Amino acid sequence: MEYSATHRGYSPDRKDFCVLPHSSPQETQNIAERLPLLRRRAQLVKAVRAFFDGRGYLEVETPYLVPTPGEEVHLRCFRSIWEWPDGGQETRFLHTSPEFAMKRLVAAVKQPLYQLARVWRNGEKSNTHVPEFTMLEWYRPQASLFSLMDETEELLRSVLPPFLRVGGRYIDLKAPFERLTMQEAFQHYVGVDLLGTANDVVALAEQAKVSLREKETWEDLFFRLLLEKIEPNIGRDRPTFLTHWPSEQAALAQRDPMDSRVALRFELYAGGLELANAFEELTDAQEQRQRFEEDRHRRLELAPDQDWAIDEAFLRALPVMPPTSGIALGFDRLVMLATGVPRLDEILWLT
């Protein structure tokens, strides 16, 4: 029996019953129609928790309103004002990821942690982007990037059926997930020696046989080729790990000790969706500070209002954090994959 107000003993003609100002009959009907999808979402929450609890992970909760929301160059943050009881004020931000806080906890407790966290990214709205969403993040000390890929495969097989139908195609989760380095992907799908063109945008454009756009940088062209020529072709029949990103895209990942041109980073793709981003974590505070300062400079050039202090507590924690691999997985996109719907708003309780 589908839920309605009368099933809970309410009736519209009762004096103690009211409809919230932002509700409407149309919205109520829409939620009722989507209830099977929302129940599937709730099942996935339970399955994810069971997976990590069964592996000895500790579920944690970290603050959402923080002094430093992240250091990504291209993400925009939501800003708020914390008013103190004595009349003082402090600017805070809704975080774009719980990453900094969770790594501080890993440094303190030295054990595997996970969190289903709400995160915020301003200015984002599409079929696969919303400004407020749920991120599943987990961190495992002493895990390599390769063992983290193994665990990610096991998670998806644990919470999803063996075959998924997405956009008229079937994705096989029983088969080993594809593991493709960024160099291999660019060679196969674009026909270029990606690492051989590092920071040479003209060479990259010539090899890719594309025209440069005005003021386009090597990084800009890298992401254009990734978006247009590689992402549409991977993760179609089975999920794909895209690994060993150019060191310019290391973010918070270690460089590969076997090849300093690449970082120990992967992203996971399935059914046309980018699902996850993972690092073998950098623990060198001095190098991380340098990266933050470079990112901060680039971010302020693009958006002067996106200004906040570097997270000193995070940097202090890095030297005592054990070797760790960590991953951020878009939980809402996982639900999209499980249900086969084309839009995020179909599997959100309210928008």
Side-chain angles (χ1 to χ4, degrees):
M1 181 170 62
E2 297 295 332
Y3 170 82
S4 73
T6 54
H7 295 154
R8 291 285 301 275
Y10 293 108
S11 172
D13 59 359
R14 280 181 55 176
K15 293 182 180 179
D16 60 350
F17 176 77
C18 66
V19 178
L20 295 176
H22 297 292
S23 298
S24 68
Q26 182 177 359
E27 179 184 78
T28 301
Q29 181 180 355
N30 178 263
I31 294 171
E33 290 171 349
R34 294 187 297 110
L35 195 53
L37 300 175
L38 299 173
R39 285 181 172 144
R40 182 70 177 109
R41 179 189 182 96
Q43 292 168 354
L44 279 170
V45 169
K46 294 178 181 178
V48 164
R49 286 198 164 105
F51 178 87
F52 287 106
D53 293 346
R55 287 172 168 254
Y57 278 77
L58 177 64
E59 184 174 7
V60 299
E61 297 175 283
T62 58
Y64 292 167
L65 197 62
V66 295
T68 303
E71 290 293 351
E72 300 90 346
V73 173
H74 299 289
L75 296 184
R76 293 187 58 81
C77 301
F78 286 92
R79 184 186 306 262
S80 185
I81 300 296
W82 177 17
E83 298 179 350
W84 299 346
D86 64 4
Q89 293 184 339
E90 181 180 334
T91 300
R92 291 289 178 102
F93 304 87
L94 291 169
H95 68 181
T96 59
S97 162
E99 180 172 9
F100 293 176
M102 291 189 72
K103 289 181 186 176
R104 288 169 58 191
L105 293 179
V106 171
V109 303
K110 311 284 194 296
Q111 69 181 84
L113 309 174
Y114 79 98
Q115 181 174 190
L116 280 161
R118 300 296 286 179
V119 298
W120 290 264
R121 298 178 180 183
N122 208 348
E124 297 194 358
K125 181 64 177 174
S126 71
N127 286 343
T128 57
H129 295 82
V130 287
E132 178 184 356
F133 59 99
T134 301
M135 187 84 83
L136 168 63
E137 291 208 16
W138 73 94
Y139 294 85
R140 189 171 193 95
Q142 310 305 330
S144 69
L145 199 69
F146 299 97
S147 62
L148 186 63
M149 283 190 273
D150 292 340
E151 188 169 57
T152 305
E153 283 195 41
E154 291 164 7
L155 170 67
L156 265 63
R157 291 198 184 102
S158 174
V159 303
L160 298 175
F163 292 95
L164 296 170
R165 182 166 181 167
V166 180
R169 300 179 65 94
Y170 283 95
I171 301 173
D172 185 359
L173 295 185
K174 296 189 300 180
F177 291 11
E178 182 180 26
R179 300 187 181 190
L180 192 65
T181 68
M182 192 67 80
Q183 175 78 346
E184 292 168 340
F186 270 79
Q187 286 175 336
H188 183 73
Y189 293 110
V190 189
V192 305
D193 175 10
L194 178 68
L195 299 178
T197 69
N199 296 314
D200 187 342
V201 67
V202 174
L204 180 58
E206 288 177 349
Q207 288 191 31
K209 298 180 175 57
V210 298
S211 298
L212 280 173
R213 296 171 178 171
E214 186 178 357
K215 297 182 178 180
E216 191 168 35
T217 66
W218 186 92
E219 181 186 52
D220 294 334
L221 181 56
F222 164 79
F223 279 111
R224 173 155 69 102
L225 295 172
L226 176 64
L227 180 66
E228 294 178 358
K229 296 182 178 292
I230 296 175
E231 288 189 358
N233 293 298
I234 61 176
R236 292 165 60 84
D237 301 312
R238 56 176 174 156
T240 298
F241 292 109
L242 193 56
T243 75
H244 295 80
W245 286 54
S247 59
E248 293 81 4
Q249 303 301 320
L252 283 79
Q254 290 193 49
R255 287 183 171 86
D256 188 342
M258 305 299 293
D259 185 349
S260 62
R261 297 177 302 170
V262 298
L264 295 175
R265 171 183 178 182
F266 73 73
E267 288 195 358
L268 174 62
Y269 295 82
L273 295 170
E274 175 200 330
L275 280 181
N277 185 27
F279 306 141
E280 194 164 319
E281 305 293 349
L282 179 65
T283 57
D284 184 324
Q286 183 175 354
E287 182 177 350
Q288 190 64 77
R289 181 185 295 276
Q290 181 179 347
R291 292 188 195 178
F292 280 170
E293 289 173 348
E294 291 170 357
D295 288 344
R296 171 182 168 80
H297 177 74
R298 293 168 58 209
R299 187 179 67 244
L300 292 177
E301 282 186 334
L302 296 170
D305 64 316
Q306 299 293 287
D307 187 13
W308 44 79
I310 286 176
D311 191 332
E312 297 292 343
F314 168 70
L315 293 176
R316 287 194 297 272
L318 285 184
V320 297
M321 187 173 80
T324 299
S325 289
I327 181 168
L329 186 149
F331 179 76
D332 304 296
R333 292 187 180 184
L334 184 69
V335 181
M336 287 181 68
L337 194 63
T339 56
V341 300
R343 301 193 316 274
L344 271 180
D345 58 11
E346 295 186 65
I347 50 84
L348 301 177
W349 284 95
L350 291 171
T351 58

